[in-house]
Amino acid sequence: MRRVSIVIPYLVSKPIDDSALRDPPVALGEIVDRAQIVRLNPIPACATPEAAWLGMNPLETAVAPGPLLIAALGHHPPADSVHFRLTLCSVDGAGLLSKPDARQNFEDVRKLMEEADRLATRSLTLLVGEGVEHALVMENGSLEMMTTPMTEAYGSALKNCLPDGDHDRELRRFIDDSINLLSGNPVNRRRLDEGLQPLNALWPWGQGFRPNLPLLPLSRGDIATVHSASLQLHGLCKLVGYTHADRATFATGLRIDFPKLGARLMESRLSVALIHTVEEMQRHGRVDDVMWVVEQLAESVLEPLMSKSDSSPFQLRILAPGGRCSFDGSEPPERASTIGLGLFFDSERPADNRFPFDERVIDDARLPLIDPWQFIEPGFSGID
């Protein structure tokens, strides 16, 4: 029995908005007619909402961004070390921090991080990551400190966001040295000449020790393969013993290669896919693009599953949650419903469903209202 779970945050719109689900493609419509529909509670604000997509209560699985990133990169620093997320960002002449320009050049980043390796000390080690997200390891460190998350630091004066507490002098010196070192780099001088922001500061935040999380394959009996573009989810998979597929081939910007995703989902007995792109589409009111996601999902994922269901039975869960689905604490899109929807289909035990899988039922008390992690968890254990 193949088990597939697909998570699409913010797919469900508020009733007053255009719906991408009201007129579903044929494959999705056939599945809805024979599925069980539930309503999903919103994900609460928490440190690691991604835990819900692995069937774990995110309120009981708080992992800091630093350890998650280092786990995703495949590093295993000493047990007593503190792990930081290290973001390459911009600081202007007035000392204001800003988000890196979207037109960042990966070659620029590579050269700057090679230069930044000179900032390493006996207790601080830099680990190169992806794009502007990297990591810093402090050996014999302490968590008795406060750092400002990068998402909160953007737009603020650097002097108002500096680390405070244990080892704050060491971290402040590191930040100051990174600005002095990178600002004069030829890469940043050229960027300024081209009208681009400099990438001239390294900002440590999201500190934590590597946690001891339960190895889920031992308790659930199977190893899941997870498909997403999320560093956070990748790191969490490493920590709990699940396999995360190559993120680089999953998506380019807001476009996911659905045919490739569909083929890979057909290769695994147990898999999860996080479709992250709808959040940005909903945020900008791009209903046509959301409809494109639904159509591609039906054509490249659902149709192949249905066409082989006689010889290859499957269980399918589709989750369209609301609430705080992003670790950075950003507000959900205004267009998105707080209450989400879930769909469960078993090709060997189809249900006789009378409810649509769209916004018309989000306030229908006849449908169960459950937490997303409780809805998806049986898909990992094979118990329904």
Side-chain angles (χ1 to χ4, degrees):
M1 171 70 73
R2 178 175 286 106
R3 287 171 276 148
V4 178
S5 296
I6 299 170
V7 182
I8 315 177
Y10 308 123
L11 178 62
V12 180
S13 299
K14 292 178 180 176
I16 60 174
D17 293 319
D18 294 330
S19 171
L21 294 169
R22 190 66 62 87
D23 186 19
V26 173
L28 177 58
E30 290 179 355
I31 286 174
V32 170
D33 288 343
R34 302 164 60 193
Q36 298 172 11
I37 309 296
V38 302
R39 295 178 298 151
L40 300 177
N41 283 317
I43 297 287
C46 56
T48 321
E50 294 85 355
W53 319 143
L54 302 184
M56 306 168 72
N57 186 340
L59 298 178
E60 300 174 355
T61 314
V63 185
L68 284 176
L69 178 57
I70 288 179
L73 297 177
H75 294 288
H76 299 273
D80 62 350
S81 62
V82 177
H83 304 180
F84 295 84
R85 193 156 179 163
L86 189 66
T87 302
L88 181 60
C89 60
S90 301
V91 60
D92 63 19
L96 292 177
L97 291 161
S98 60
K99 193 172 184 177
D101 195 293
R103 294 170 292 174
Q104 58 181 282
N105 182 296
F106 292 113
E107 183 63 16
D108 287 353
V109 173
R110 184 189 66 79
K111 291 179 179 178
L112 290 170
M113 290 309 297
E114 285 181 354
E115 181 79 355
D117 195 53
R118 295 170 55 188
L119 299 170
T121 67
R122 291 180 61 183
S123 60
L124 294 178
T125 302
L126 278 73
L127 301 175
V128 175
E130 299 175 4
V132 297
E133 300 301 336
H134 306 276
L136 182 70
V137 175
M138 175 183 284
E139 295 192 35
N140 301 310
S142 165
L143 295 184
E144 296 298 319
M145 70 174 79
M146 293 184 63
T147 60
T148 304
M150 192 74 259
T151 48
E152 297 178 17
Y154 288 143
S156 302
L158 181 146
K159 64 180 180 180
N160 296 332
C161 304
L162 292 169
D164 187 37
D166 287 357
H167 305 284
D168 59 0
R169 288 187 178 182
E170 189 173 7
L171 288 176
R172 291 182 181 208
R173 186 184 311 116
F174 175 87
I175 294 170
D176 190 52
D177 288 346
S178 75
I179 296 171
N180 291 333
L181 177 66
L182 299 180
S183 293
N185 188 280
V187 168
N188 278 322
R189 291 202 297 268
R190 175 182 53 75
R191 289 178 65 87
L192 288 171
D193 290 341
E194 295 175 354
L196 300 174
Q197 293 171 290
L199 298 170
N200 60 344
L202 285 166
W203 193 258
W205 61 283
Q207 68 275 9
F209 292 112
R210 186 183 181 97
N212 290 317
L213 297 181
L215 292 177
L216 296 182
L218 294 180
S219 58
R220 294 175 173 175
D222 213 340
I223 298 177
T225 300
V226 179
H227 304 265
S228 85
S230 169
L231 273 167
Q232 293 269 124
L233 187 54
H234 191 165
L236 189 60
C237 287
K238 286 285 189 74
L239 293 173
V240 301
Y242 282 162
T243 299
H244 195 288
D246 183 6
R247 282 174 291 103
T249 62
F250 184 79
T252 302
L254 294 182
R255 295 290 178 176
I256 289 175
D257 189 337
F258 280 98
K260 183 178 291 185
L261 174 62
R264 291 186 172 182
L265 292 177
M266 294 295 292
E267 295 171 355
S268 303
R269 286 201 321 136
L270 173 57
S271 55
V272 181
L274 172 63
I275 310 298
H276 66 285
T277 59
V278 168
E279 175 176 358
E280 197 67 15
M281 295 170 181
Q282 289 279 41
R283 203 173 293 281
H284 294 92
R286 295 161 59 176
V287 181
D288 289 345
D289 284 337
V290 180
M291 291 180 175
W292 177 86
V293 169
V294 175
E295 291 167 358
Q296 291 296 307
L297 177 68
E299 178 182 334
S300 300
V301 178
L302 304 185
E303 285 184 13
L305 285 170
M306 290 290 284
S307 67
K308 297 183 179 180
S309 59
D310 289 340
S311 59
S312 182
F314 71 96
Q315 291 180 348
L316 171 70
R317 283 172 173 79
I318 299 178
L319 288 79
R324 294 290 185 88
C325 297
S326 176
F327 87 95
D328 63 11
S330 59
E331 292 295 328
E334 290 185 4
R335 291 178 46 83
S337 170
T338 301
I339 299 296
L341 292 176
L343 174 156
F344 171 64
F345 175 82
D346 187 334
S347 64
E348 293 189 322
R349 293 180 295 158
D352 183 14
N353 177 40
R354 299 177 291 111
F355 298 97
F357 184 67
D358 65 43
E359 291 77 1
R360 288 172 287 179
V361 297
I362 59 175
D363 294 320
D364 194 327
R366 292 175 296 174
L367 291 179
L369 181 62
I370 64 177
D371 292 323
W373 54 93
Q374 293 178 325
F375 180 68
I376 198 174
E377 193 279 333
F380 293 95
S381 61
I383 300 174
D384 291 288

